[in-house]
């Protein structure tokens, strides 16, 4: 009897101990979660304050008209957006930006993909040297390389001198003073600077490709081109999609080359949307409301193009 009593008495004590340990563990988890939130909240507050609040204020600003600090809400509120539809300079900058996008981005990505495939060859000598040489333009300052290109393509610059020495042209070409040649110089500068940047992404992706699939294609009799196109490229689709989205977003927001190379000339025919936004906001009798409306048009274009690329390029279920 005494023994059974002792056994019964032990059971509640054991249960109470388990509940205490469970409560202790739950408290530790709560403290860990609280610690995580303590680290996250300052960063979240900074993001809201430095990013989303200015975006909200810019949207309110896009609904206002006036010069300098003398701003009032427009009547109707969408007046600035309506005005953009009738702005011939804005239409021209949209055209210029999409010309750069449709020509430069495909050339740059294809060239980066080909270079990455060549430099991924394990038998290639001095791979590190070639990779560094192709990537180095990306490390050059935007302003510095733009000024170098501006000097090279000046009327009395290096390019004209070489072409005339080789008897390819009879006289100097005004590269930066003609519409088509000015656009060409901007596209050339973009390809020169950003190809190596995208090549690094493709090189990283190539390291994770299953080489057995490439060996199998070679055993089946596929040549280098077919192996590259039908085996390597499909495995690089996620990285190709990423670089396409980044390159598209960067080109839509292009500013430095338009400003430093051509100053948007001649007659706005090489100016980008971001360059025009800068002129509206800070140079031409500052019109912050109209400039803010243009900034939101750029934002919408970036978002729409990224969504389209995600829809077309991402085939995962």
């Amino acid at each position: 009897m005494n023994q059974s009593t002792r056994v019964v008495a032990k059971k509640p004590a054991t249960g109470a101990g388990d509940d205490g340990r469970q409560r202790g563990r739950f408290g530790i988890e709560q403290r860990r979660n609280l610690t995580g939130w303590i680290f996250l909240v300052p960063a979240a507050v900074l993001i809201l304050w430095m990013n989303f609040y200015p975006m909200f204020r810019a949207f309110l600003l896009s609904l206002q008209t006036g010069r300098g600090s003398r701003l009032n809400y427009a009547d109707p509120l969408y007046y600035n957006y309506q005005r953009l539809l009738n702005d011939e300079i804005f239409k021209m900058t949209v055209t210029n930006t999409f010309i750069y996008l449709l020509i430069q981005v495909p050339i740059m990505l294809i060239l980066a993909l080909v270079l990455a495939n060549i430099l991924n060859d394990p038998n290639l000598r001095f791979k590190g040297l070639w990779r560094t040489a192709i990537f180095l333009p990306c490390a050059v300052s935007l302003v510095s390389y733009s000024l170098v290109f501006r000097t090279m393509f000046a009327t009395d610059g290096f390019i004209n001198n070489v072409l005339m020495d080789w008897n390819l042209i009879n006289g100097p070409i005004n590269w930066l003073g003609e519409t088509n040649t000015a656009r060409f110089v901007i596209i050339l500068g973009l390809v020169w600077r950003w190809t190596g940047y995208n090549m690094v992404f493709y090189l990283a992706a190539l390291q994770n490709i299953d080489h057995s699939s490439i060996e199998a294609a070679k055993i089946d009799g596929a040549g280098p081109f077919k192996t590259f196109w039908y085996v390597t490229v499909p495995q690089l689709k996620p990285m190709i999609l990423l670089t396409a989205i980044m390159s598209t977003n960067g080109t839509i927001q292009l500013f430095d080359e338009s400003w430093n190379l051509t100053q948007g000339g001649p007659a706005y025919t090489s100016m980008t949307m971001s360059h025009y936004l800068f002129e509206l906001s800070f140079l031409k009798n500052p019109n912050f409301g109209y400039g803010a409306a243009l900034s939101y048009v750029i934002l919408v274009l970036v978002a729409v193009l990224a969504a389209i690329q995600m829809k077309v390029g991402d085939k995962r279920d």
Side-chain angles (χ1 to χ4, degrees), residues 228-257:
F228 173 71
W229 185 254
Y230 292 106
V231 180
T232 303
V233 171
Q235 297 183 71
L236 292 177
K237 276 187 177 179
M239 188 59 70
I240 293 173
L241 177 62
L242 173 65
T243 54
I245 292 175
M246 292 194 305
S247 301
T248 299
N249 293 350
T251 305
I252 292 293
Q253 301 173 71
L254 187 65
F255 170 77
D256 293 88
E257 286 76 6

Side-chain angles (χ1 to χ4, degrees), residues 110-299:
I110 293 172
L111 187 58
L113 189 58
V114 171
L115 288 172
N117 191 63
I118 294 173
L119 295 179
N120 194 52
D121 184 355
N123 298 319
L124 180 67
R125 299 182 63 185
F126 308 114
K127 285 190 297 184
L129 174 64
W130 299 121
R131 291 176 180 180
T132 303
I134 296 173
F135 179 76
L136 272 180
C138 179
V140 178
S141 164
L142 286 167
V143 175
S144 299
Y145 104 83
S146 297
L147 293 177
V148 169
F149 265 70
R150 186 178 178 87
T151 303
M152 288 175 58
F153 284 92
T155 306
D156 56 349
F158 173 76
I159 299 299
N160 276 330
N161 290 336
V162 170
L163 293 177
M164 286 190 293
D165 288 342
W166 291 353
N167 296 319
L168 296 177
I169 57 175
N170 295 323
I173 298 174
N174 188 7
W175 294 96
L176 304 177
E178 301 290 336
T179 298
N180 292 329
T181 53
R183 290 171 176 170
F184 168 77
V185 172
I186 289 177
I187 291 172
L188 185 64
L190 290 170
V191 171
W192 177 82
R193 189 178 195 277
W194 294 109
T195 297
Y197 178 80
N198 290 283
M199 182 198 70
V200 170
F201 284 92
Y202 294 144
L203 274 172
L206 285 169
Q207 308 304 314
N208 297 320
I209 284 182
D210 184 7
H211 287 279
S212 62
S213 61
I214 298 176
E215 294 298 328
K218 292 179 179 179
I219 292 173
D220 289 340
F225 177 77
K226 286 188 175 181
T227 302
F228 173 71
W229 185 254
Y230 292 106
V231 180
T232 303
V233 171
Q235 297 183 71
L236 292 177
K237 276 187 177 179
M239 188 59 70
I240 293 173
L241 177 62
L242 173 65
T243 54
I245 292 175
M246 292 194 305
S247 301
T248 299
N249 293 350
T251 305
I252 292 293
Q253 301 173 71
L254 187 65
F255 170 77
D256 293 88
E257 286 76 6
S258 173
W259 172 258
N260 292 305
L261 273 174
T262 65
Q263 293 290 312
Y268 300 99
T269 54
S270 67
M271 181 179 286
T272 61
M273 289 187 290
S274 294
H275 185 174
Y276 187 43
L277 166 62
F278 176 78
E279 285 207 352
L280 287 174
S281 300
F282 301 105
L283 298 181
K284 294 188 171 182
N285 195 9
N287 191 334
F288 298 118
Y290 192 42
L294 176 53
S295 72
Y296 261 83
V297 171
I298 296 174
L299 172 65

Side-chain angles (χ1 to χ4, degrees), residues 28 90 92 99 105 107 167 229 265 275-276 280 286 296 311:
I28 291 173
F90 167 70
M92 186 176 296
I99 287 174
V105 171
I107 293 174
N167 296 319
W229 185 254
H275 185 174
Y276 187 43
L280 287 174
Y296 261 83
K311 185 69 175 179

